[in-house]
Amino acid sequence: MSHLEAAFIGISRHRIGVDGNGVTTLACFHGCSLRCRYCLNAQCLGPDDGMRRHTPESLYQYCLIDNLYFVATGGGVCFGGGEPLLRSEFLVHFRELCGKSWQLTVESALSVPRKAVETAATVIDQFIIDIKDCNNDIYKRYTGKSNRQSMSNLKWLLETVGAKRIIVRVPLIKGYNTKADTDRSVEQLKAMGVENLDRFEYRLPQEQPTATKTTKKNTISKRRITPSE
Amino acid sequence: MTQGKKICNQLKAVRRTVAEANDIPLEIKECTHKGDCAGTCPHCEAEVRYLEQELQKRKRSGKAAVLAGVAMSLSLSGCHTGNKVVDPLENDGMVRGLVAKYEPEKPLMGKPAVPDTIQPPIIEEPLMGIVTMPVPRFPGGEEALTEYLKTNIVYPKEALKQGIEGTVIVEFLIKGDGSISDIRLKQDIGGGCGEEAIRVVKAMPKWENTLPNSDGTPYSLPIEFSLNNKD
């Protein structure tokens, strides 16, 4: 199954209360369809040289070490990224290997072809969707892409797998949307049938000076001007 | 308590619950490790392997082995900061976890104990959660900026006449919409060079890749006026 080999930007064990039920291992794929301005995992966008690679088999073997925790707590593996639904065939094969006793979750923006969502929907227990903002202008400014695909996929997913298996995250994105924008998104999502909403704020790490707050000058390299002929 | 210790304690509770549900004797010793904790260690891993072996023994001998969901009633939460549904107050929006530097090459399934040669996991390091801030840039990039300045700055006649050379430094802000404001001379050499530099900076096109609604990203641009045409 080497054709299903994928690059991973990281794998994190023993996550509790973050990526679905119970004890979870988070496996983050390289590669994303969006270019979010505050990308949390920017390493998923560059070259994948030197990144850990796994086939579904090797990842399953890796995750097996926590089988006891997964089964006892109703946990399992959460696939993040990057965009995990770009690797939906990988997810299907992983499910074949792990069986039904592990809960499989994805953290996705749903900005992928419908076929990828359809494929994943057959094997994924829980979808955690980062919808960014329902306003297409805001979404475009923040991600560089229209939200038509993600909204359409969300609608399909709600109709197909049901609202119980979906959590939609609505972030307040500094510089891109406002509280009023997120209120509008929440109303729109509720109208679509979303039941589980997670509102939160992208908070920039303190150690990372923001462009709005920094007092340090960005020095541009010196330019030399000589008299014209 | 460190995050790693919290994870360790919760995983310990899971192991204890599994052991009790299956009448497996398990003496959980108090961890004496004083340093950073990654949530697990060879001792913790060895306990998991031991429990797995005991569960297998029970199955082989025809006894019931209870595992599925046995620890679901435990209150497991709050081990990672991030997009945590359960506690928005602690939510920093930056999820994505921590990865131990030590990771075994192979799963330890089925081994009776963790070999002594395996070193304990050491301090976790953030793997994810890095925020990439937009960095404003002149349209077309660095080369285009050089070209723009060389094309538009005219060496002032007065500076030529007086043989003035040197470096002028112009400071300015790139606003959220890409426009330039707060232009000022940090360093001038006279002969009209400072004024000429400001004129050209003022006339710059809007910059790209800015942070919308930003109060402004400060920049410092040194421009060397040189009478020597040779590089």
Side-chain angles (χ1 to χ4, degrees):
Chain A
M1 300 303 293
S2 59
H3 69 286
L4 288 181
E5 185 180 87
F8 286 81
I9 62 171
I11 299 171
S12 176
R13 293 169 61 199
H14 303 145
R15 296 170 64 80
I16 301 173
V18 186
D19 307 303
N21 301 331
V23 178
T24 304
T25 292
L26 174 66
C28 290
F29 285 104
H30 174 271
C32 190
S33 50
L34 300 178
R35 293 294 179 269
C36 298
R37 302 294 286 270
Y38 299 155
C39 180
L40 299 174
N41 301 324
Q43 62 271 51
C44 73
L45 304 175
D48 62 5
D49 304 344
M51 286 186 184
R52 178 179 301 192
R53 290 178 182 279
H54 277 294
T55 61
E57 288 84 356
S58 67
L59 183 67
Y60 172 66
Q61 286 299 320
Y62 181 86
C63 294
L64 207 47
I65 194 171
D66 292 314
N67 177 64
L68 182 135
Y69 291 133
F70 294 165
V71 178
T73 65
V77 179
C78 176
F79 293 94
E83 174 50 70
L85 295 193
L86 293 175
R87 293 289 185 168
S88 54
E89 292 293 343
F90 188 108
L91 306 182
V92 169
H93 195 64
F94 190 88
R95 171 62 88 188
E96 287 169 8
L97 294 164
C98 77
K100 292 179 179 173
S101 59
W102 291 4
Q103 165 147 310
L104 298 187
T105 304
V106 290
E107 291 183 345
S108 168
L110 293 182
S111 189
V112 293
R114 172 66 52 79
K115 178 73 182 161
V117 187
E118 289 173 356
T119 303
T122 61
V123 296
I124 296 300
D125 297 301
Q126 190 177 35
F127 291 82
I128 301 174
I129 308 302
D130 188 351
I131 205 71
K132 320 291 183 193
D133 198 291
C134 292
N135 179 309
N136 194 34
D137 291 337
I138 293 170
Y139 192 95
K140 257 186 185 172
R141 277 201 299 127
Y142 181 64
T143 69
K145 200 174 168 183
S146 160
N147 71 353
R148 206 162 60 179
Q149 194 173 42
S150 58
M151 294 301 285
S152 166
N153 282 334
L154 177 60
K155 184 171 179 289
W156 181 87
L157 204 57
L158 285 162
E159 289 167 357
T160 309
V161 308
K164 296 277 184 289
R165 284 166 56 189
I166 302 169
I167 295 172
V168 180
R169 288 177 167 163
V170 184
L172 178 61
I173 312 169
K174 189 176 180 182
Y176 289 87
N177 66 4
T178 63
K179 170 77 169 41
D181 292 322
T182 61
D183 288 344
R184 279 189 284 274
S185 289
V186 164
E187 287 311 305
Q188 188 173 335
L189 291 164
K190 281 181 179 172
M192 287 172 70
V194 175
E195 295 175 5
N196 304 309
L197 284 154
D198 176 27
R199 300 181 70 160
F200 64 100
E201 181 177 354
Y202 284 160
R203 190 184 304 164
L204 307 179
Q206 288 178 347
E207 64 272 20
Q208 177 99 4
T210 71
T212 53
K213 297 294 180 193
T214 183
T215 53
K216 192 180 172 192
K217 301 275 186 301
N218 296 285
T219 302
I220 304 165
S221 55
K222 190 189 284 188
R223 261 61 178 190
R224 191 160 172 265
I225 304 295
T226 56
S228 53
E229 294 298 321
Chain B
M1 188 186 295
T2 64
Q3 206 171 64
K5 278 287 180 194
K6 282 184 191 171
I7 293 170
C8 175
N9 286 339
Q10 301 214 45
L11 295 179
K12 202 179 286 178
V14 173
R15 296 198 296 276
R16 188 182 291 118
T17 306
V18 171
E20 287 171 0
N22 292 280
D23 291 326
I24 298 172
L26 178 69
E27 187 188 348
I28 296 181
K29 291 178 184 171
E30 192 63 32
C31 179
T32 55
H33 179 62
K34 296 293 180 196
D36 295 306
C37 172
T40 189
C41 69
H43 183 81
C44 295
E45 298 285 340
E47 281 188 1
V48 177
R49 305 290 83 83
Y50 163 73
L51 286 172
E52 286 173 340
Q53 285 174 358
E54 290 299 310
L55 289 169
Q56 282 299 326
K57 277 186 199 170
R58 273 160 176 69
K59 281 181 188 168
R60 280 198 295 269
S61 64
K63 290 181 185 172
V66 186
L67 183 59
V70 72
M72 282 179 78
S73 58
L74 289 176
S75 176
L76 300 175
S77 66
C79 286
H80 286 270
T81 56
N83 292 339
K84 202 166 47 177
V85 179
V86 291
D87 190 352
L89 291 177
E90 288 182 20
N91 187 342
D92 67 359
M94 294 294 138
V95 201
R96 322 311 169 196
L98 306 160
V99 166
K101 283 179 181 169
Y102 159 77
E103 287 175 323
E105 286 299 309
K106 293 177 182 173
L108 300 174
M109 286 294 286
K111 293 189 179 178
V114 179
D116 292 335
T117 50
I118 294 180
Q119 296 300 308
I122 48 178
I123 178 69
E124 298 172 334
E125 60 181 8
L127 167 74
M128 291 151 270
I130 309 250
V131 169
T132 308
M133 296 294 295
V135 178
R137 61 168 175 265
F138 186 85
E142 286 284 304
E143 285 183 17
L145 174 61
T146 304
E147 190 57 35
Y148 171 82
L149 294 173
K150 286 192 169 178
T151 306
N152 291 283
I153 292 180
V154 178
Y155 213 109
K157 285 181 184 170
E158 189 61 26
L160 281 172
K161 194 172 148 186
Q162 296 183 33
I164 291 173
E165 292 181 296
T167 300
V168 166
I169 299 175
V170 186
E171 291 184 345
F172 52 90
L173 292 177
I174 301 297
K175 306 271 284 184
D177 65 357
S179 64
I180 297 162
S181 72
D182 296 26
I183 303 168
R184 72 180 194 95
L185 266 180
K186 170 92 182 301
Q187 180 177 301
D188 194 7
I189 53 174
C193 293
E195 290 79 356
E196 177 61 4
I198 281 185
R199 181 188 70 79
V200 173
V201 168
K202 263 185 188 169
M204 274 183 184
K206 283 189 175 182
W207 285 39
E208 300 170 338
N209 201 41
T210 55
L211 179 68
N213 303 337
S214 157
D215 295 333
T217 307
Y219 275 87
S220 177
L221 172 62
I223 300 169
E224 182 187 1
F225 286 81
S226 172
L227 293 169
N228 185 356
N229 274 319
K230 293 176 185 171
D231 287 329

